[in-house]
Amino acid sequence: FPLSSLSPLEGIIIGDQRHSQDSMVVARVYFNGFADLNSLASTLDIWEVDHENGYFVALIPSSQLDELNQSGFLVEIDPVRTSSLTRRNQLLPGQVSGIPSYPCYRSVEETFSDLAQLAVDYPDLVTWIDIGDSWEKENSGGGSGYDLYTLIITNSAIPGPKPKFHLLSAIHAREYTTAELATRFAEYLVENYDRDPEITWLLDYYEVHITPQANPDGRKIAENGVYWRKNTDNDDGCLDSDWWGTDLNRNSSFKWGLPGSSSNSCDETYRGPASVSEPETQAIQSYASSIFPDQRSPEDDDPAPQDSSGLFITLHSFGDIVLFPWGWSPYPSPNNTPLETLGRKFGFYNGYEVCQSGEPGCIYQTSGSTDDWMYGELGVAAYTFELGSQFFESCSYFEDNIVPENFPALLYAFKAARRPYQSPSGPESLELELNEDHIPPGAEIVLTAQADDTRYNSSGWGDEPVQNIIAARFSIDQPSWMEGATTYPIAPLDGDFDNPVESLSVIINSAGWSMGRHTLFVESQDADGNWGVPSAIFLWITAEGYLPDLDPIDVEGNALSGTQLTYTFTLTNLSASEDTFDLQITGNTWDTFVETNPIGPLASGESFEFNVTIDIPESVEDGDQDIAVITAISQGDPNMQAAATIETAARSPAAFFPLVHN
């Protein structure tokens, strides 16, 4: 029977019994038009689509292979890919961590352990929270399966509300690259906070929420080398354990059940017995609804407001594609133009094709997908990144291509999260430089930058309009939109704003600025009035002589008698010269010691964290106190010192309520 004669909801139907992967093939299937493709995509496990040559690559059971041949479709089996279906992962010689055969990819347990430890190591930046359960955990009474976790990264000392960027990965189990890219991105942000000015300001004023393993039950199967896609739900009617489960990326409540998914419980695109039937989908939607406001009215043609906030990316593999809604419809969404614009920004950074997933020639139509739900239900700018060229991507390709291509795209996404439908239309502010980054109080500095309105690429899916630059500005120590911020103009270096790329320059007088580190924010505007995302650079105001700084300068805490209490301090060299500092403890009667002494050498502006530990004697009574003074003394000039006071109280076990303020 020809596919073009079927209704979109029918497609090719196979029985609820399927065979093991040793009776599967990977093959090219040549289709006749977009309607045929969409009908086949509702039930087949399509890996990639070549629209130009009119074929797709899919994982096909032998029974369905016969039906395709009998229906007149040209099918070409790929023997190399087919042979990989029965190959199982093995530990490499000397491999002690990671997925067997792929040491660059962490297992579910390793991912969770490392990210949980990140929250322990950086408690002021990182929070690790349980957002729900996997199917196996919910249906085993907790005896097996996993919790679903999300990592939140932001400077908790700066209050919100803050714009939010939500990064989700591994909703399809076999897609190895996705969870590892998300995990490394989290580590990269945290490890470079307070070092890189761009990451520092983003974590000060924005939040990133990373859900690294959205389908841990399925991922655990896939770690063995099995091409498992779905979760492991086994009670929906599929009788073959190789094929049960629900496709979590067809189970979301927005447009669930439309063409683009299957009602057959053994199909790889099975949408589940009802919308949001799976605990993983419930957790994702519940969590997203808790962090993003509903910014879009329910009608299909209702746009989200232009000033909507929040951005969502779900990481998949493979295909080197950036996709955006709609997936369920070939027609553009009401926010299609700004979604295209931001997508083309991503395409500039990672070089991927950028297209609306449901439009003819992009991939094929889907329904019940996560990104359609995020945009359709909440109005959040939502994207899918299809990473790389295979599910079990080699470690070398992951390290050499996927990571360096996509870190810059993810950083831009983080920047754009405040106004994703507006700021990507504006110019980027690049190449920020200061003639000196350490200056004495009151000195003048020269800040240069480049405004660029041309950085877009869709790899053939349309061109972005380009405008001339008409303005640029900077602010000091906070972005321009924060209450109380003042902005100052930056001039074009050649005297005229008349090109889409402009060199900028401004002389800044630092009179009255406090000692220490400052952040300069730069933004540029195009002729359509669009202000682009900001960029930032650090500047230090330093002393001519020698000057240490301690933070905090007053701390207090209490603990049980007979125990220890540890306080953390940051020592910063505020002088223009390298220096080493001796630490001196005075005033105390209880034993007090530091872990590092002396500290240094520290370069100008450099900081160092150290701990001070106090032994509380067993003999003291509840309420007894001890006061210690810690003094940092410059070796360059011993007269230059900074001091902090530590007040510690002893508590008896009956009255003990631990309290430490650092």
Side-chain angles (χ1 to χ4, degrees):
F1 47 90
L3 258 292
S4 57
S5 69
L6 299 179
S7 73
L9 286 174
E10 291 172 332
I12 290 181
I13 305 299
I14 67 171
D16 279 347
Q17 296 284 341
R18 281 199 175 179
H19 302 288
S20 300
Q21 287 187 346
D22 59 3
S23 63
M24 304 291 293
V25 297
V26 179
R28 287 185 179 184
V29 179
Y30 288 82
F31 56 88
N32 182 24
F34 197 51
D36 276 1
L37 171 63
N38 287 331
S39 292
L40 287 163
S42 291
T43 56
L44 284 179
D45 182 11
I46 294 180
W47 290 11
E48 58 184 279
V49 183
D50 186 331
H51 287 275
E52 182 177 353
N53 293 297
Y55 71 83
F56 59 79
V57 177
L59 177 66
I60 306 173
S62 57
S63 60
Q64 198 163 6
L65 182 66
D66 293 339
E67 293 174 351
L68 286 167
N69 284 320
Q70 293 169 10
S71 301
F73 288 96
L74 175 61
V75 180
E76 297 177 346
I77 295 174
D78 185 328
V80 175
R81 283 178 159 178
T82 298
S83 67
S84 72
L85 297 177
T86 55
R87 192 181 305 136
R88 295 295 172 258
N89 292 346
Q90 301 290 330
L91 288 171
L92 300 177
Q95 183 181 351
V96 296
S97 63
I99 294 176
S101 300
Y102 298 89
C104 60
Y105 304 123
R106 277 167 271 206
S107 67
V108 172
E109 290 80 6
E110 290 167 338
T111 301
F112 285 170
S113 175
D114 288 351
L115 292 180
Q117 187 61 45
L118 208 62
V120 173
D121 295 340
Y122 300 90
D124 296 332
L125 281 179
V126 182
T127 307
W128 180 240
I129 63 172
D130 182 341
I131 66 168
D133 294 333
S134 71
W135 188 89
E136 289 185 23
K137 181 166 186 181
E138 183 171 284
N139 288 274
S140 68
S144 62
Y146 296 87
D147 294 313
L148 267 63
Y149 290 99
T150 291
L151 192 80
I152 307 169
I153 314 176
T154 190
N155 180 358
S156 59
I158 296 179
K162 301 178 180 181
K164 296 171 178 63
F165 170 35
H166 188 190
L167 183 64
L168 180 88
S169 58
I171 200 169
H172 286 153
R174 63 196 177 193
E175 299 171 2
Y176 283 0
T177 58
T178 62
E180 186 63 27
L181 182 67
T183 300
R184 293 198 189 192
F185 185 62
E187 293 169 335
Y188 173 75
L189 292 175
V190 172
E191 291 165 2
N192 284 281
Y193 179 79
D194 230 14
R195 300 176 182 177
D196 185 305
E198 295 282 69
I199 292 171
T200 302
W201 83 257
L202 280 167
L203 294 183
D204 281 344
Y205 295 101
Y206 288 18
E207 299 173 6
V208 61
H209 298 244
I210 298 176
T211 306
Q213 297 279 4
N215 180 10
D217 295 342
R219 168 52 74 96
K220 205 63 204 168
I221 297 174
E223 287 176 8
N224 296 313
V226 179
Y227 285 83
W228 195 274
R229 171 185 171 98
K230 302 185 283 184
N231 75 350
T232 58
D233 184 344
N234 63 14
D235 62 5
D236 292 343
C238 181
L239 303 180
D240 188 336
S241 62
D242 287 320
W243 297 107
W244 61 36
T246 295
D247 184 346
L248 299 175
N249 202 40
R250 302 293 186 273
N251 188 237
S252 296
S253 58
F254 186 81
K255 302 300 180 181
W256 179 87
L258 295 184
S261 63
S262 174
S263 60
N264 184 338
S265 59
C266 281
D267 280 340
E268 289 284 49
T269 55
Y270 174 55
R271 55 182 171 253
S275 69
V276 207
S277 60
E278 307 309 297
E280 297 92 343
T281 316
Q282 294 164 17
I284 292 166
Q285 291 193 181
S286 176
Y287 186 72
S289 296
S290 74
I291 64 172
F292 294 123
D294 185 351
Q295 301 170 105
R296 201 182 80 87
S297 299
E299 298 300 322
D300 292 344
D301 56 357
D302 289 337
Q306 282 293 98
D307 61 354
S308 293
S309 181
L311 197 149
F312 171 78
I313 291 175
T314 177
L315 299 176
H316 285 250
S317 69
F318 57 91
D320 290 348
I321 308 174
V322 173
L323 305 170
F324 55 87
W326 303 122
W328 69 273
S329 170
Y331 300 106
S333 77
N335 291 98
N336 185 73
T337 297
L339 286 170
E340 280 186 328
T341 297
L342 178 51
R344 289 169 183 155
K345 280 292 186 187
F346 298 147
F348 174 84
Y349 284 106
N350 60 20
Y352 291 0
E353 287 187 47
V354 181
C355 50
Q356 178 200 334
S357 54
E359 71 178 301
C362 183
I363 51 167
Y364 46 82
Q365 288 180 32
T366 59
S367 60
S369 65
T370 315
D371 52 359
D372 267 13
W373 181 86
M374 287 283 179
Y375 171 71
E377 189 66 32
L378 301 177
V380 173
Y383 294 83
T384 293
F385 283 15
E386 294 280 359
L387 307 173
S389 59
Q390 51 189 314
F391 297 126
F392 303 165
E393 194 78 70
S394 71
C395 284
S396 59
Y397 191 87
F398 175 75
E399 304 282 4
D400 296 342
N401 295 276
I402 291 177
V403 172
E405 287 169 355
N406 285 283
F407 265 23
L410 293 176
L411 280 172
Y412 186 88
F414 200 3
K415 280 190 174 188
R418 177 176 168 267
R419 290 289 184 268
Y421 298 133
Q422 292 179 327
S423 55
S425 296
E428 291 184 72
S429 300
L430 310 165
E431 300 179 18
L432 275 62
E433 290 187 10
L434 297 166
N435 61 327
E436 294 183 55
D437 57 11
H438 290 70
I439 61 172
E444 289 186 340
I445 51 167
V446 178
L447 168 66
T448 58
Q450 186 176 80
D452 193 332
D453 199 49
T454 69
R455 290 158 61 92
Y456 303 94
N457 184 27
S458 65
S459 294
W461 289 88
D463 296 319
E464 188 68 22
V466 171
Q467 294 84 33
N468 288 342
I469 309 301
I470 63 166
R473 64 190 181 190
F474 75 94
S475 57
I476 304 164
D477 288 337
Q478 57 182 348
S480 62
W481 59 84
M482 297 297 293
E483 185 177 354
T486 301
T487 61
Y488 306 90
I490 308 177
L493 193 61
D494 63 3
D496 293 304
F497 282 122
D498 53 8
N499 284 292
V501 179
E502 290 282 0
S503 295
L504 310 171
S505 181
V506 63
I507 299 173
I508 304 173
N509 191 311
S510 68
W513 293 18
S514 61
M515 301 290 289
R517 190 182 74 191
H518 294 270
T519 304
L520 302 178
F521 295 84
V522 176
E523 298 165 286
S524 305
Q525 186 183 39
D526 67 19
D528 282 352
N530 302 304
W531 286 100
V533 298
S535 294
I537 192 170
F538 287 149
L539 168 68
W540 284 265
I541 307 296
T542 57
E544 290 289 352
Y546 296 93
L547 184 62
D549 179 73
L550 278 176
D551 182 50
I553 59 172
D554 271 305
V555 294
E556 61 180 41
N558 61 79
L560 287 170
S561 55
T563 64
Q564 289 185 330
L565 194 58
T566 298
Y567 302 86
T568 300
F569 292 87
T570 300
L571 173 63
T572 302
N573 177 17
L574 295 182
S575 71
S577 304
E578 181 180 272
D579 201 0
T580 298
F581 303 91
D582 297 309
L583 298 180
Q584 183 182 85
I585 301 170
T586 58
N588 58 300
T589 57
W590 298 347
D591 290 340
T592 302
F593 52 93
V594 295
E595 61 182 358
T596 305
N597 196 13
I599 292 174
L602 299 182
S604 174
E606 185 177 1
S607 298
F608 183 86
E609 276 194 356
F610 67 93
N611 292 330
V612 178
T613 302
I614 297 175
D615 286 330
I616 302 175
E618 292 185 4
S619 58
V620 298
E621 298 180 354
D622 182 58
D624 286 352
Q625 293 184 329
D626 188 64
I627 296 177
V629 177
I630 180 85
T631 304
I633 304 170
S634 164
Q635 289 187 358
D637 181 356
N639 291 317
M640 304 305 295
Q641 304 176 3
T645 301
I646 306 171
E647 184 175 333
T648 306
R651 305 303 302 268
S652 67
F656 177 59
F657 296 97
L659 172 66
V660 177
H661 299 295
N662 283 345

